[in-house]
Amino acid sequence: MSVQERKQRERAERERLIVATARELAEQQGWDAVTTRQLAERIEYSQPVLYSHFRGKREIIGAVALEGAAELAAAVRAATAAADGPRARVTALARAYLDFAAHNPAVYDALFQLDGGLAYAQEDTPEPLKDAFAALLESLDEVAGDGVHPGLFTEVFWAALHGLATLTRARRLLPEDAAQRVELLVDRLAVI
């Protein structure tokens, strides 16, 4: 291994450590606790080392969001692959999405609430974000209904899921009705 390859590998490892530490700190204490000073202390590197990887917190949030998008896509695909039939797939998709939001609140915030400097729904949208949307579209395409554009239907279904995730997390909805909400969403929006 050349010196340059070793340095590139070490740089990538430091970057992964920064992102993992930021994510861990955000999950434990919220995004307000994620500062370059805190991160530098936790990973035992200087602040200039952090700035050599990320220009600031915004880029770190963006890196966590991209990682989270890949995880969300994988979770949705795993859940829908095990489901039999369109209704079961859409229900599994909804549950997987809501479970992801509930179990990864800081990542969910990085994806959908905070400014990570990422472009959404544009030509320059990063691939992990496009893939997360594609994971939703793969199961929702077949239930959009006649004359309804599958991408548009996916956006509306996703918006409903996001609203449920956000309102549930804010304790604006009764937790014991979560399963009924998913059933209602699937019954009323999806053409099965």
Side-chain angles (χ1 to χ4, degrees):
M1 175 183 299
S2 73
V3 172
Q4 183 177 353
E5 289 172 330
R6 181 182 52 77
K7 285 183 178 183
Q8 286 175 341
R9 188 186 72 218
E10 289 171 354
R11 180 172 176 74
E13 288 173 9
R14 266 193 318 272
E15 193 165 301
R16 278 192 296 277
L17 178 62
I18 293 166
V19 171
T21 304
R23 181 176 175 166
E24 179 183 313
L25 186 58
E27 291 291 1
Q28 291 171 353
Q29 300 177 31
W31 278 104
D32 287 343
V34 179
T35 64
T36 53
R37 185 170 160 246
Q38 274 281 60
L39 287 173
E41 286 177 19
R42 283 205 176 202
I43 65 172
E44 298 178 345
Y45 282 101
S46 67
Q47 286 182 345
V49 169
L50 272 104
Y51 285 116
S52 74
H53 290 274
F54 299 98
R55 286 184 291 209
K57 183 175 176 176
R58 182 178 187 220
E59 283 189 5
I60 294 169
I61 290 169
V64 170
L66 293 177
E67 189 177 271
E71 292 171 12
L72 176 60
V76 165
R77 287 189 175 112
T80 57
D84 186 29
R87 182 176 188 14
R89 272 190 293 283
V90 174
T91 300
L93 175 151
R95 288 183 179 143
Y97 184 97
L98 294 171
D99 285 348
F100 181 88
H103 293 102
N104 303 282
V107 174
Y108 194 81
D109 285 350
L111 270 165
F112 302 120
Q113 306 286 44
L114 302 173
D115 179 9
L118 303 174
Y120 286 77
Q122 298 175 24
E123 283 187 35
D124 60 340
T125 298
E127 282 307 314
L129 298 178
K130 288 179 182 178
D131 189 52
F133 185 80
L136 300 175
L137 179 62
E138 289 162 12
S139 291
L140 296 172
D141 183 8
E142 65 184 326
V143 298
D146 293 337
V148 177
H149 187 278
L152 185 60
F153 178 77
T154 300
E155 290 173 348
V156 171
F157 199 90
W158 171 31
L161 288 173
H162 176 70
L164 288 174
T166 303
L167 291 169
T168 299
R169 188 161 148 214
R171 297 188 178 119
R172 301 294 196 268
L173 301 174
L174 295 172
E176 59 267 17
D177 294 335
Q180 289 176 308
R181 282 187 205 95
V182 168
E183 293 302 318
L184 184 61
L185 180 63
V186 172
D187 286 344
R188 297 291 188 248
L189 284 184
V191 178
I192 301 173

